[in-house]
Amino acid sequence: MEGFHDLLKMLDGMLGGAWWFPYVLLGTGLFFTIYLKFPQVRFFKHAWLVVTGKYDKKGSEGDTTHFRALTTALSGTVGTGNIGGVAFAIFLGGPAALFWMWATAFFGMTTKFVEVTLSHKYRVKTADGTMAGGPMYYMDRRLNMKWLAVAFAIATVISSFGTGNLPQSNNIAASIESTFGFDPLVVGSILGILLGLVILGGITRIAAVTSKIVPLMALIYLVGALAVIFANLENIGPAFASVIGDVFTGSAATGGFLGATIAYAFNRGVNRGLFSNEAGQGSAPIAHAAAKTDEPVSEGMVSILEPFIDTIIICTITGLVILSSGVWKEKHQNVFDRSDMMIVAGAYSDTDDNDRKELYAYINDLDTSTVAPYNGDIQIVNGKSISTGYTLLNARSVAENVKFTFGEDEDLFTGKLKVVDGSLIKDNIVVSGKSLIHSASLTALAFTKGFFGESGKYIVSIGLLLFAFSTAIAWSYYGDRAMTYLLGPRSVMPYRVVYVFAFVWAAVSDTTLVWTLSAVAIVVMTLPNLLGIFLLRKEMKESVNEYWDDFKKEHKS
């Protein structure tokens, strides 16, 4: 299993973590934005009117309305990435990462417009009477690339578990346990039953539920976020300035934060933008293919709104909460994750300018770095180190008030700890202290810096519950449409049953392997989809021009 995990990490580095992937993703959106003459701007107002049903026609084939198709797709994209993903992007890339998330969303609005239009155009009615669509259908029916369609569909099934199911369940259970103290198995079981009741009813019930969950969760989250933003209103201007300024200068090493390079901020921002709004991934077109309309372009118009709502609105709100509260560059008491922790040779302080420059170069893998990993023993007495000649870093900061414990009762450790290449060898030692924090924990802390005080963290927990649960609902539909393409309608019910049981299991399991598998599967979905829509660029342009000409004639004032 360890060898398989290493293989996945290597593939992730070659694909999603590769330097060229953000350029391919952003470049495709930029190309179509210019090629189609900025449809995200030209058709923005029209898209809102289509969503309201203003131009609906009776008798159009489909399983759900424009609005419910939109909320189903949004429920798949608006998830833990909007809460923890933004915090993680800022943690890794600094404020500039938020700018690149905006850029990804802006150009992603066009990418999603294209992929949804083409997927809706080549959808099919299955044997059970429901609609099935998605990139695998235009790859098969229009491009005659069956092998590519099969690869995409398999990757979609994998991602439905790795993105929409297991991590969401695990995040919900962990958040509810830390906030309210409920047992993860109980949480997973209850939500698993609710998930089953929803998804076993198919797209009609899924769309009905998401059309209520999405507005509710957005409202709850917005209220909590605005409570922080207005409480720190004087910091909003500087927050925006830091986002724009760091794009050109790289993130400054301020406070406890040791900064990030311009390239790193770009990479993190674009990747988190994709994980948040899924523009180009090919997942949302599966939901939109069920919409009742005979005009594929009109459904493409609806999808323009997704990256705008998901990233430009919700992710920006999260980013402003984190930046205006100031918690992103402050040290807080926490238990150190081994993946965030490194031990370097020599004594360094992040209050010394020269030391900060050295650590900045080391953390960002710059050639100018002279810092080296520590090798040797550390003597611990009653949980405290009495050794010198090393510095413990956690989460891009110099750790303070470090304590070493072991066992379930967190007994203070006394003895020697061996360090090899900057990592502790002993696995059962718990290390805690003050350092920077990231992901959902950072967002939860930021929400306590508003008018609601400590109660703000409950808004994050409730938001995380609703966001993650709705994501699981939407991805179950993506997976069952992929199964329909691969093995036919009869495979859907067994898939749904496995999906529900996996959701319960993940509440009490380690999903690290699944996250890595999902990261690879996302790229396997994205690259074929981007290739496919590029090959059909002329057809897309003709379809848009024809639709818009007909619309203007029909609604001539």
Side-chain angles (χ1 to χ4, degrees), residues 168-214:
Q168 306 299 333
S169 174
N170 197 264
N171 278 332
I172 292 173
S175 176
I176 296 299
E177 181 184 29
S178 63
T179 304
F180 301 103
F182 295 144
D183 184 271
L185 181 59
V186 174
V187 173
S189 298
I190 293 174
L191 291 179
I193 293 172
L194 293 175
L195 178 66
L197 292 174
V198 174
I199 71 174
L200 293 178
I203 184 58
T204 303
R205 191 179 300 168
I206 288 173
V209 171
T210 57
S211 68
K212 294 177 175 60
I213 289 182
V214 169

mmCIF file of all heavy atoms in Angstrom, residues 168-214:
data_model
loop_
_atom_site.group_PDB
_atom_site.id
_atom_site.type_symbol
_atom_site.label_atom_id
_atom_site.label_comp_id
_atom_site.label_asym_id
_atom_site.label_seq_id
_atom_site.Cartn_x
_atom_site.Cartn_y
_atom_site.Cartn_z
ATOM 1 N N GLN A 168 -15.067 14.555 2.271
ATOM 2 C CA GLN A 168 -16.149 15.398 2.797
ATOM 3 C C GLN A 168 -16.684 14.812 4.106
ATOM 4 O O GLN A 168 -16.882 15.531 5.093
ATOM 5 C CB GLN A 168 -17.286 15.508 1.774
ATOM 6 C CG GLN A 168 -16.867 15.972 0.396
ATOM 7 C CD GLN A 168 -16.242 17.357 0.381
ATOM 8 O OE1 GLN A 168 -16.523 18.188 1.237
ATOM 9 N NE2 GLN A 168 -15.383 17.611 -0.589
ATOM 10 N N SER A 169 -16.914 13.512 4.121
ATOM 11 C CA SER A 169 -17.388 12.847 5.324
ATOM 12 C C SER A 169 -16.384 12.974 6.458
ATOM 13 O O SER A 169 -16.750 13.265 7.607
ATOM 14 C CB SER A 169 -17.657 11.366 5.024
ATOM 15 O OG SER A 169 -17.983 10.659 6.198
ATOM 16 N N ASN A 170 -15.118 12.764 6.132
ATOM 17 C CA ASN A 170 -14.063 12.839 7.141
ATOM 18 C C ASN A 170 -13.955 14.245 7.724
ATOM 19 O O ASN A 170 -13.796 14.423 8.932
ATOM 20 C CB ASN A 170 -12.732 12.424 6.500
ATOM 21 C CG ASN A 170 -11.678 12.087 7.529
ATOM 22 O OD1 ASN A 170 -10.864 12.927 7.870
ATOM 23 N ND2 ASN A 170 -11.689 10.861 8.018
ATOM 24 N N ASN A 171 -14.058 15.260 6.867
ATOM 25 C CA ASN A 171 -13.991 16.648 7.318
ATOM 26 C C ASN A 171 -15.174 17.009 8.203
ATOM 27 O O ASN A 171 -15.024 17.690 9.215
ATOM 28 C CB ASN A 171 -13.951 17.599 6.112
ATOM 29 C CG ASN A 171 -12.559 17.747 5.536
ATOM 30 O OD1 ASN A 171 -11.573 17.608 6.241
ATOM 31 N ND2 ASN A 171 -12.468 18.018 4.247
ATOM 32 N N ILE A 172 -16.362 16.574 7.804
ATOM 33 C CA ILE A 172 -17.563 16.849 8.604
ATOM 34 C C ILE A 172 -17.425 16.240 9.988
ATOM 35 O O ILE A 172 -17.643 16.906 11.011
ATOM 36 C CB ILE A 172 -18.822 16.282 7.915
ATOM 37 C CG1 ILE A 172 -19.137 17.042 6.629
ATOM 38 C CG2 ILE A 172 -20.021 16.371 8.864
ATOM 39 C CD1 ILE A 172 -20.252 16.424 5.820
ATOM 40 N N ALA A 173 -17.068 14.954 10.038
ATOM 41 C CA ALA A 173 -16.971 14.240 11.308
ATOM 42 C C ALA A 173 -15.932 14.873 12.228
ATOM 43 O O ALA A 173 -16.168 15.051 13.430
ATOM 44 C CB ALA A 173 -16.631 12.769 11.057
ATOM 45 N N ALA A 174 -14.774 15.234 11.664
ATOM 46 C CA ALA A 174 -13.696 15.851 12.463
ATOM 47 C C ALA A 174 -14.125 17.212 12.992
ATOM 48 O O ALA A 174 -13.863 17.561 14.152
ATOM 49 C CB ALA A 174 -12.431 15.979 11.628
ATOM 50 N N SER A 175 -14.798 17.993 12.147
ATOM 51 C CA SER A 175 -15.233 19.330 12.552
ATOM 52 C C SER A 175 -16.305 19.266 13.641
ATOM 53 O O SER A 175 -16.240 19.995 14.638
ATOM 54 C CB SER A 175 -15.774 20.091 11.336
ATOM 55 O OG SER A 175 -16.292 21.342 11.725
ATOM 56 N N ILE A 176 -17.276 18.394 13.467
ATOM 57 C CA ILE A 176 -18.361 18.270 14.449
ATOM 58 C C ILE A 176 -17.828 17.729 15.774
ATOM 59 O O ILE A 176 -18.252 18.157 16.853
ATOM 60 C CB ILE A 176 -19.478 17.347 13.908
ATOM 61 C CG1 ILE A 176 -20.120 17.966 12.659
ATOM 62 C CG2 ILE A 176 -20.532 17.100 14.968
ATOM 63 C CD1 ILE A 176 -20.766 19.306 12.884
ATOM 64 N N GLU A 177 -16.870 16.799 15.705
ATOM 65 C CA GLU A 177 -16.293 16.253 16.933
ATOM 66 C C GLU A 177 -15.530 17.325 17.702
ATOM 67 O O GLU A 177 -15.674 17.454 18.932
ATOM 68 C CB GLU A 177 -15.357 15.093 16.613
ATOM 69 C CG GLU A 177 -14.744 14.460 17.861
ATOM 70 C CD GLU A 177 -13.737 13.364 17.533
ATOM 71 O OE1 GLU A 177 -13.102 13.445 16.461
ATOM 72 O OE2 GLU A 177 -13.574 12.441 18.360
ATOM 73 N N SER A 178 -14.712 18.137 16.983
ATOM 74 C CA SER A 178 -13.903 19.145 17.664
ATOM 75 C C SER A 178 -14.749 20.290 18.212
ATOM 76 O O SER A 178 -14.412 20.885 19.237
ATOM 77 C CB SER A 178 -12.845 19.698 16.708
ATOM 78 O OG SER A 178 -13.455 20.359 15.616
ATOM 79 N N THR A 179 -15.861 20.587 17.547
ATOM 80 C CA THR A 179 -16.694 21.716 17.966
ATOM 81 C C THR A 179 -17.757 21.313 18.980
ATOM 82 O O THR A 179 -17.973 21.998 19.982
ATOM 83 C CB THR A 179 -17.380 22.360 16.744
ATOM 84 O OG1 THR A 179 -16.391 22.735 15.789
ATOM 85 C CG2 THR A 179 -18.164 23.604 17.166
ATOM 86 N N PHE A 180 -18.435 20.184 18.707
ATOM 87 C CA PHE A 180 -19.564 19.789 19.554
ATOM 88 C C PHE A 180 -19.313 18.523 20.367
ATOM 89 O O PHE A 180 -20.103 18.185 21.259
ATOM 90 C CB PHE A 180 -20.818 19.586 18.693
ATOM 91 C CG PHE A 180 -21.231 20.813 17.926
ATOM 92 C CD1 PHE A 180 -20.972 20.925 16.564
ATOM 93 C CD2 PHE A 180 -21.867 21.867 18.565
ATOM 94 C CE1 PHE A 180 -21.348 22.054 15.849
ATOM 95 C CE2 PHE A 180 -22.249 23.001 17.859
ATOM 96 C CZ PHE A 180 -21.988 23.094 16.501
ATOM 97 N N GLY A 181 -18.232 17.796 20.054
ATOM 98 C CA GLY A 181 -17.895 16.612 20.828
ATOM 99 C C GLY A 181 -18.641 15.348 20.447
ATOM 100 O O GLY A 181 -18.600 14.353 21.175
ATOM 101 N N PHE A 182 -19.335 15.337 19.297
ATOM 102 C CA PHE A 182 -20.095 14.153 18.886
ATOM 103 C C PHE A 182 -19.173 13.097 18.280
ATOM 104 O O PHE A 182 -18.204 13.423 17.581
ATOM 105 C CB PHE A 182 -21.178 14.523 17.870
ATOM 106 C CG PHE A 182 -22.253 15.414 18.427
ATOM 107 C CD1 PHE A 182 -22.837 16.393 17.656
ATOM 108 C CD2 PHE A 182 -22.674 15.286 19.746
ATOM 109 C CE1 PHE A 182 -23.818 17.225 18.161
ATOM 110 C CE2 PHE A 182 -23.655 16.105 20.271
ATOM 111 C CZ PHE A 182 -24.236 17.086 19.476
ATOM 112 N N ASP A 183 -19.489 11.835 18.535
ATOM 113 C CA ASP A 183 -18.691 10.722 18.024
ATOM 114 C C ASP A 183 -18.734 10.691 16.493
ATOM 115 O O ASP A 183 -19.823 10.760 15.905
ATOM 116 C CB ASP A 183 -19.227 9.401 18.585
ATOM 117 C CG ASP A 183 -18.373 8.223 18.163
ATOM 118 O OD1 ASP A 183 -18.639 7.643 17.087
ATOM 119 O OD2 ASP A 183 -17.430 7.887 18.904
ATOM 120 N N PRO A 184 -17.578 10.585 15.817
ATOM 121 C CA PRO A 184 -17.536 10.589 14.351
ATOM 122 C C PRO A 184 -18.383 9.492 13.708
ATOM 123 O O PRO A 184 -19.002 9.714 12.665
ATOM 124 C CB PRO A 184 -16.048 10.374 14.045
ATOM 125 C CG PRO A 184 -15.341 10.929 15.232
ATOM 126 C CD PRO A 184 -16.230 10.592 16.405
ATOM 127 N N LEU A 185 -18.419 8.294 14.332
ATOM 128 C CA LEU A 185 -19.206 7.210 13.770
ATOM 129 C C LEU A 185 -20.691 7.535 13.793
ATOM 130 O O LEU A 185 -21.426 7.235 12.836
ATOM 131 C CB LEU A 185 -18.940 5.914 14.534
ATOM 132 C CG LEU A 185 -19.687 4.669 14.019
ATOM 133 C CD1 LEU A 185 -19.325 4.394 12.557
ATOM 134 C CD2 LEU A 185 -19.362 3.454 14.880
ATOM 135 N N VAL A 186 -21.140 8.158 14.869
ATOM 136 C CA VAL A 186 -22.551 8.544 14.976
ATOM 137 C C VAL A 186 -22.885 9.598 13.919
ATOM 138 O O VAL A 186 -23.906 9.513 13.223
ATOM 139 C CB VAL A 186 -22.870 9.103 16.386
ATOM 140 C CG1 VAL A 186 -24.296 9.639 16.444
ATOM 141 C CG2 VAL A 186 -22.668 8.019 17.434
ATOM 142 N N VAL A 187 -21.990 10.587 13.785
ATOM 143 C CA VAL A 187 -22.196 11.638 12.790
ATOM 144 C C VAL A 187 -22.241 11.042 11.385
ATOM 145 O O VAL A 187 -23.135 11.345 10.581
ATOM 146 C CB VAL A 187 -21.072 12.701 12.872
ATOM 147 C CG1 VAL A 187 -21.197 13.704 11.733
ATOM 148 C CG2 VAL A 187 -21.120 13.415 14.209
ATOM 149 N N GLY A 188 -21.260 10.181 11.078
ATOM 150 C CA GLY A 188 -21.204 9.569 9.762
ATOM 151 C C GLY A 188 -22.418 8.699 9.464
ATOM 152 O O GLY A 188 -22.929 8.702 8.337
ATOM 153 N N SER A 189 -22.909 7.981 10.465
ATOM 154 C CA SER A 189 -24.069 7.090 10.280
ATOM 155 C C SER A 189 -25.337 7.883 10.008
ATOM 156 O O SER A 189 -26.119 7.552 9.100
ATOM 157 C CB SER A 189 -24.251 6.213 11.517
ATOM 158 O OG SER A 189 -23.122 5.392 11.727
ATOM 159 N N ILE A 190 -25.552 8.934 10.794
ATOM 160 C CA ILE A 190 -26.755 9.752 10.611
ATOM 161 C C ILE A 190 -26.754 10.428 9.243
ATOM 162 O O ILE A 190 -27.744 10.392 8.506
ATOM 163 C CB ILE A 190 -26.871 10.808 11.732
ATOM 164 C CG1 ILE A 190 -27.117 10.124 13.081
ATOM 165 C CG2 ILE A 190 -27.991 11.807 11.424
ATOM 166 C CD1 ILE A 190 -27.092 11.065 14.256
ATOM 167 N N LEU A 191 -25.614 11.030 8.902
ATOM 168 C CA LEU A 191 -25.524 11.705 7.611
ATOM 169 C C LEU A 191 -25.561 10.708 6.451
ATOM 170 O O LEU A 191 -26.064 11.026 5.370
ATOM 171 C CB LEU A 191 -24.248 12.540 7.540
ATOM 172 C CG LEU A 191 -24.215 13.768 8.449
ATOM 173 C CD1 LEU A 191 -22.881 14.498 8.312
ATOM 174 C CD2 LEU A 191 -25.354 14.718 8.121
ATOM 175 N N GLY A 192 -25.041 9.504 6.686
ATOM 176 C CA GLY A 192 -25.088 8.473 5.656
ATOM 177 C C GLY A 192 -26.524 8.086 5.326
ATOM 178 O O GLY A 192 -26.880 7.889 4.158
ATOM 179 N N ILE A 193 -27.367 7.981 6.363
ATOM 180 C CA ILE A 193 -28.790 7.670 6.150
ATOM 181 C C ILE A 193 -29.465 8.787 5.361
ATOM 182 O O ILE A 193 -30.213 8.537 4.402
ATOM 183 C CB ILE A 193 -29.498 7.461 7.505
ATOM 184 C CG1 ILE A 193 -28.961 6.195 8.188
ATOM 185 C CG2 ILE A 193 -31.010 7.366 7.315
ATOM 186 C CD1 ILE A 193 -29.451 6.011 9.604
ATOM 187 N N LEU A 194 -29.172 10.036 5.752
ATOM 188 C CA LEU A 194 -29.751 11.180 5.042
ATOM 189 C C LEU A 194 -29.266 11.230 3.590
ATOM 190 O O LEU A 194 -30.052 11.505 2.673
ATOM 191 C CB LEU A 194 -29.377 12.481 5.754
ATOM 192 C CG LEU A 194 -29.974 12.694 7.148
ATOM 193 C CD1 LEU A 194 -29.427 13.966 7.775
ATOM 194 C CD2 LEU A 194 -31.497 12.754 7.070
ATOM 195 N N LEU A 195 -27.988 10.935 3.395
ATOM 196 C CA LEU A 195 -27.429 10.916 2.045
ATOM 197 C C LEU A 195 -28.134 9.874 1.187
ATOM 198 O O LEU A 195 -28.495 10.136 0.034
ATOM 199 C CB LEU A 195 -25.926 10.631 2.104
ATOM 200 C CG LEU A 195 -25.187 10.533 0.763
ATOM 201 C CD1 LEU A 195 -25.186 11.884 0.049
ATOM 202 C CD2 LEU A 195 -23.743 10.053 0.971
ATOM 203 N N GLY A 196 -28.347 8.696 1.766
ATOM 204 C CA GLY A 196 -29.025 7.629 1.041
ATOM 205 C C GLY A 196 -30.441 8.011 0.638
ATOM 206 O O GLY A 196 -30.873 7.751 -0.491
ATOM 207 N N LEU A 197 -31.167 8.646 1.568
ATOM 208 C CA LEU A 197 -32.540 9.064 1.273
ATOM 209 C C LEU A 197 -32.596 10.061 0.123
ATOM 210 O O LEU A 197 -33.562 10.080 -0.648
ATOM 211 C CB LEU A 197 -33.182 9.686 2.526
ATOM 212 C CG LEU A 197 -33.452 8.723 3.693
ATOM 213 C CD1 LEU A 197 -33.949 9.492 4.905
ATOM 214 C CD2 LEU A 197 -34.469 7.664 3.272
ATOM 215 N N VAL A 198 -31.553 10.878 0.023
ATOM 216 C CA VAL A 198 -31.524 11.888 -1.042
ATOM 217 C C VAL A 198 -31.137 11.265 -2.374
ATOM 218 O O VAL A 198 -31.862 11.383 -3.370
ATOM 219 C CB VAL A 198 -30.554 13.033 -0.692
ATOM 220 C CG1 VAL A 198 -30.426 13.991 -1.874
ATOM 221 C CG2 VAL A 198 -31.032 13.793 0.529
ATOM 222 N N ILE A 199 -29.990 10.582 -2.423
ATOM 223 C CA ILE A 199 -29.459 10.154 -3.722
ATOM 224 C C ILE A 199 -30.199 8.961 -4.315
ATOM 225 O O ILE A 199 -30.187 8.778 -5.536
ATOM 226 C CB ILE A 199 -27.949 9.871 -3.655
ATOM 227 C CG1 ILE A 199 -27.646 8.595 -2.864
ATOM 228 C CG2 ILE A 199 -27.207 11.047 -3.075
ATOM 229 C CD1 ILE A 199 -26.175 8.210 -2.907
ATOM 230 N N LEU A 200 -30.842 8.166 -3.475
ATOM 231 C CA LEU A 200 -31.597 7.035 -4.029
ATOM 232 C C LEU A 200 -32.804 7.513 -4.826
ATOM 233 O O LEU A 200 -33.386 6.761 -5.618
ATOM 234 C CB LEU A 200 -32.038 6.084 -2.911
ATOM 235 C CG LEU A 200 -30.891 5.331 -2.194
ATOM 236 C CD1 LEU A 200 -31.443 4.457 -1.083
ATOM 237 C CD2 LEU A 200 -30.080 4.495 -3.174
ATOM 238 N N GLY A 201 -33.191 8.763 -4.629
ATOM 239 C CA GLY A 201 -34.306 9.326 -5.378
ATOM 240 C C GLY A 201 -33.917 9.890 -6.725
ATOM 241 O O GLY A 201 -34.771 10.393 -7.463
ATOM 242 N N GLY A 202 -32.614 9.823 -7.068
ATOM 243 C CA GLY A 202 -32.168 10.281 -8.376
ATOM 244 C C GLY A 202 -32.088 11.788 -8.494
ATOM 245 O O GLY A 202 -32.181 12.527 -7.516
ATOM 246 N N ILE A 203 -31.909 12.272 -9.725
ATOM 247 C CA ILE A 203 -31.649 13.685 -9.973
ATOM 248 C C ILE A 203 -32.800 14.580 -9.530
ATOM 249 O O ILE A 203 -32.592 15.704 -9.065
ATOM 250 C CB ILE A 203 -31.323 13.938 -11.468
ATOM 251 C CG1 ILE A 203 -30.954 15.418 -11.708
ATOM 252 C CG2 ILE A 203 -32.482 13.518 -12.348
ATOM 253 C CD1 ILE A 203 -29.793 15.917 -10.910
ATOM 254 N N THR A 204 -34.033 14.100 -9.636
ATOM 255 C CA THR A 204 -35.173 14.941 -9.251
ATOM 256 C C THR A 204 -35.112 15.296 -7.781
ATOM 257 O O THR A 204 -35.266 16.466 -7.395
ATOM 258 C CB THR A 204 -36.504 14.222 -9.558
ATOM 259 O OG1 THR A 204 -36.543 13.888 -10.947
ATOM 260 C CG2 THR A 204 -37.678 15.123 -9.221
ATOM 261 N N ARG A 205 -34.857 14.300 -6.929
ATOM 262 C CA ARG A 205 -34.772 14.561 -5.487
ATOM 263 C C ARG A 205 -33.478 15.297 -5.142
ATOM 264 O O ARG A 205 -33.469 16.180 -4.296
ATOM 265 C CB ARG A 205 -34.846 13.249 -4.698
ATOM 266 C CG ARG A 205 -35.028 13.481 -3.189
ATOM 267 C CD ARG A 205 -35.133 12.159 -2.433
ATOM 268 N NE ARG A 205 -36.265 11.376 -2.899
ATOM 269 C CZ ARG A 205 -36.462 10.092 -2.573
ATOM 270 N NH1 ARG A 205 -35.572 9.457 -1.818
ATOM 271 N NH2 ARG A 205 -37.521 9.442 -3.021
ATOM 272 N N ILE A 206 -32.395 14.944 -5.815
ATOM 273 C CA ILE A 206 -31.118 15.618 -5.577
ATOM 274 C C ILE A 206 -31.256 17.113 -5.864
ATOM 275 O O ILE A 206 -30.846 17.962 -5.080
ATOM 276 C CB ILE A 206 -30.006 15.006 -6.455
ATOM 277 C CG1 ILE A 206 -29.626 13.613 -5.938
ATOM 278 C CG2 ILE A 206 -28.764 15.916 -6.482
ATOM 279 C CD1 ILE A 206 -28.664 12.867 -6.848
ATOM 280 N N ALA A 207 -31.846 17.443 -7.019
ATOM 281 C CA ALA A 207 -32.009 18.841 -7.408
ATOM 282 C C ALA A 207 -32.933 19.582 -6.449
ATOM 283 O O ALA A 207 -32.707 20.754 -6.124
ATOM 284 C CB ALA A 207 -32.546 18.933 -8.836
ATOM 285 N N ALA A 208 -33.981 18.903 -5.977
ATOM 286 C CA ALA A 208 -34.923 19.530 -5.043
ATOM 287 C C ALA A 208 -34.234 19.867 -3.729
ATOM 288 O O ALA A 208 -34.448 20.940 -3.147
ATOM 289 C CB ALA A 208 -36.116 18.613 -4.807
ATOM 290 N N VAL A 209 -33.400 18.955 -3.242
ATOM 291 C CA VAL A 209 -32.708 19.166 -1.963
ATOM 292 C C VAL A 209 -31.638 20.252 -2.103
ATOM 293 O O VAL A 209 -31.545 21.157 -1.271
ATOM 294 C CB VAL A 209 -32.075 17.851 -1.459
ATOM 295 C CG1 VAL A 209 -31.180 18.116 -0.249
ATOM 296 C CG2 VAL A 209 -33.169 16.851 -1.086
ATOM 297 N N THR A 210 -30.831 20.169 -3.151
ATOM 298 C CA THR A 210 -29.753 21.149 -3.309
ATOM 299 C C THR A 210 -30.291 22.556 -3.559
ATOM 300 O O THR A 210 -29.658 23.547 -3.185
ATOM 301 C CB THR A 210 -28.801 20.763 -4.462
ATOM 302 O OG1 THR A 210 -29.553 20.628 -5.686
ATOM 303 C CG2 THR A 210 -28.085 19.460 -4.154
ATOM 304 N N SER A 211 -31.466 22.660 -4.174
ATOM 305 C CA SER A 211 -32.044 23.985 -4.427
ATOM 306 C C SER A 211 -32.421 24.684 -3.129
ATOM 307 O O SER A 211 -32.577 25.908 -3.101
ATOM 308 C CB SER A 211 -33.275 23.876 -5.333
ATOM 309 O OG SER A 211 -34.348 23.214 -4.664
ATOM 310 N N LYS A 212 -32.557 23.917 -2.056
ATOM 311 C CA LYS A 212 -32.855 24.499 -0.739
ATOM 312 C C LYS A 212 -31.587 24.638 0.106
ATOM 313 O O LYS A 212 -31.406 25.614 0.840
ATOM 314 C CB LYS A 212 -33.886 23.643 -0.010
ATOM 315 C CG LYS A 212 -35.254 23.652 -0.696
ATOM 316 C CD LYS A 212 -36.231 22.728 0.020
ATOM 317 C CE LYS A 212 -37.620 22.840 -0.610
ATOM 318 N NZ LYS A 212 -37.641 22.466 -2.027
ATOM 319 N N ILE A 213 -30.685 23.655 0.012
ATOM 320 C CA ILE A 213 -29.464 23.688 0.823
ATOM 321 C C ILE A 213 -28.529 24.813 0.398
ATOM 322 O O ILE A 213 -27.984 25.537 1.231
ATOM 323 C CB ILE A 213 -28.711 22.339 0.750
ATOM 324 C CG1 ILE A 213 -29.469 21.254 1.509
ATOM 325 C CG2 ILE A 213 -27.313 22.476 1.340
ATOM 326 C CD1 ILE A 213 -28.772 19.911 1.516
ATOM 327 N N VAL A 214 -28.328 24.981 -0.916
ATOM 328 C CA VAL A 214 -27.351 25.949 -1.405
ATOM 329 C C VAL A 214 -27.667 27.378 -0.959
ATOM 330 O O VAL A 214 -26.804 28.067 -0.403
ATOM 331 C CB VAL A 214 -27.200 25.861 -2.939
ATOM 332 C CG1 VAL A 214 -26.384 27.035 -3.474
ATOM 333 C CG2 VAL A 214 -26.540 24.549 -3.334
#
